Amino acid sequence: MENLTPPTSSLLASTRRPAQLEAFGRLLDVLDRLRTECPWDKKQTLQTLRHLTIEETYEISDAILRDDLPDLKKELGDVMLHLVFYARISAEKGAFDIADVLNAQCEKLIYRHPHIYGDVQADDEEAVKRNWEQLKLKEKGNTNGVLGGVPTSLPALVKAMRIQEKARGAGFDWEQPEQVWAKVQEELNEFGAEYHHGNPDRMDANKAADEFGDLLFSLVNFARFAGINPEEALERTNRKFISRFQYLETAAAANNERLADLSLAQMDVYWEEAKRRSTQPKGTV
């Protein structure tokens, strides 16, 4: 007999649904009052909120990378407010309200998941992604091509990932990771040849930059095949570098030394100490 018991996550959602709906309604009520009575909230427009939303989105990303769930809860609330605010302003313009937004999203999700709401077969993640991209193209009439849906304002590293994912959805992709790794080596050699080991008399800066871009693009491609998000990987390295450099500064100051007075070899001693400390299990000295 088929098991009709919903999964634990579904049970949790259903038992919390009244509280969730009440909280969402409360947010709408609070914003209604702020929009009517608060001088700052009354002045906001779609344009004035835009840069604030971008900032809040990065703060969500930061909380996720730190695995800080209490902070994530706070940042999600900030972004949720912005989303409701955009819908409120649009309703004032007579364009749409939050109900239109949410219903449109539900319809889109149902349409793009025919393997759940229809009779399409999709046995793995890749099949789902291919169906998703194909349905998106069908929705938009393919007027801008496969890559037309990639926002032009995305950061270059994220944009490279999205371009490659969309091309894969259209069937244009490498077949094996070994092929992608060979492409990385090829692009590395081409950059090295154009760079001429930094000889300014022989190097064409524009051509070297082009080859370096090709190299980065191929590395993003390989990261995708390896199941690595290149943006997150780079940010982890950024954080690691900052932590180690701050240790270097602190340790040097504790010894009454200024970084400007230290040789690279002397700084490297502190750097290696920072690396050893970062690899020690928590709770050890």
Side-chain angles (χ1 to χ4, degrees), residues 60 75 101 170 192 197 207 251 263:
I60 283 180
E75 300 302 343
V101 172
H197 301 291
K207 290 182 179 179
S263 67

Side-chain angles (χ1 to χ4, degrees), residues 273-285:
E273 286 180 8
K275 287 175 63 176
R276 287 194 297 272
R277 290 172 64 91
S278 67
T279 58
Q280 286 180 346
K282 291 184 179 180
T284 62
V285 179

Side-chain angles (χ1 to χ4, degrees), residues 170-194:
F172 185 77
D173 201 7
W174 300 94
E175 295 179 350
Q176 300 296 331
E178 294 79 10
Q179 297 171 307
V180 191
W181 184 245
K183 185 63 176 176
V184 170
Q185 299 303 312
E186 175 188 328
E187 296 295 351
L188 180 60
N189 291 333
E190 290 181 2
F191 170 68
E194 195 62 56

Side-chain angles (χ1 to χ4, degrees), residues 133-134 136-137 140 142-150 162-172:
E133 294 297 341
Q134 290 166 5
K136 282 182 67 174
L137 287 175
K140 299 178 180 180
N142 200 21
T143 55
N144 296 318
V146 172
L147 303 181
V150 179
R162 293 296 295 129
I163 288 171
Q164 293 166 9
E165 288 174 342
K166 285 187 172 293
R168 179 177 180 82
F172 185 77

Side-chain angles (χ1 to χ4, degrees), residues 43-187:
K43 290 182 60 178
Q44 298 315 303
T45 66
L46 300 177
Q47 290 72 28
T48 60
L49 287 174
R50 175 182 171 275
H51 75 281
L52 298 175
T53 306
I54 293 172
E55 180 181 335
E56 295 293 352
T57 303
Y58 276 106
E59 290 180 358
I60 283 180
S61 174
D62 186 64
I64 292 172
L65 288 173
R66 290 185 282 105
D67 196 24
D68 188 337
L69 294 183
D71 196 38
L72 178 61
K73 180 180 73 172
K74 178 178 74 70
E75 300 302 343
L76 287 174
D78 290 340
V79 171
M80 186 70 71
L81 170 62
H82 281 225
L83 300 180
V84 171
F85 213 149
Y86 286 124
R88 167 63 192 252
I89 294 172
S90 299
E92 292 169 1
K93 295 176 178 290
F96 57 82
D97 67 6
I98 192 64
D100 298 320
V101 172
L102 298 179
N103 282 322
Q105 182 65 25
C106 290
E107 293 301 324
K108 181 171 69 174
L109 288 172
I110 292 170
Y111 175 73
R112 293 188 186 175
H113 288 79
H115 54 290
I116 302 297
Y117 294 97
D119 55 5
V120 172
Q121 189 74 18
D123 296 325
D124 55 35
E125 180 186 1
E126 287 303 318
V128 173
K129 286 182 178 179
R130 284 194 300 270
N131 288 341
W132 181 277
E133 294 297 341
Q134 290 166 5
L135 289 169
K136 282 182 67 174
L137 287 175
K138 186 177 179 181
E139 287 173 20
K140 299 178 180 180
N142 200 21
T143 55
N144 296 318
V146 172
L147 303 181
V150 179
T152 57
S153 59
L154 280 179
L157 195 62
V158 178
K159 186 188 292 186
M161 187 83 167
R162 293 296 295 129
I163 288 171
Q164 293 166 9
E165 288 174 342
K166 285 187 172 293
R168 179 177 180 82
F172 185 77
D173 201 7
W174 300 94
E175 295 179 350
Q176 300 296 331
E178 294 79 10
Q179 297 171 307
V180 191
W181 184 245
K183 185 63 176 176
V184 170
Q185 299 303 312
E186 175 188 328
E187 296 295 351

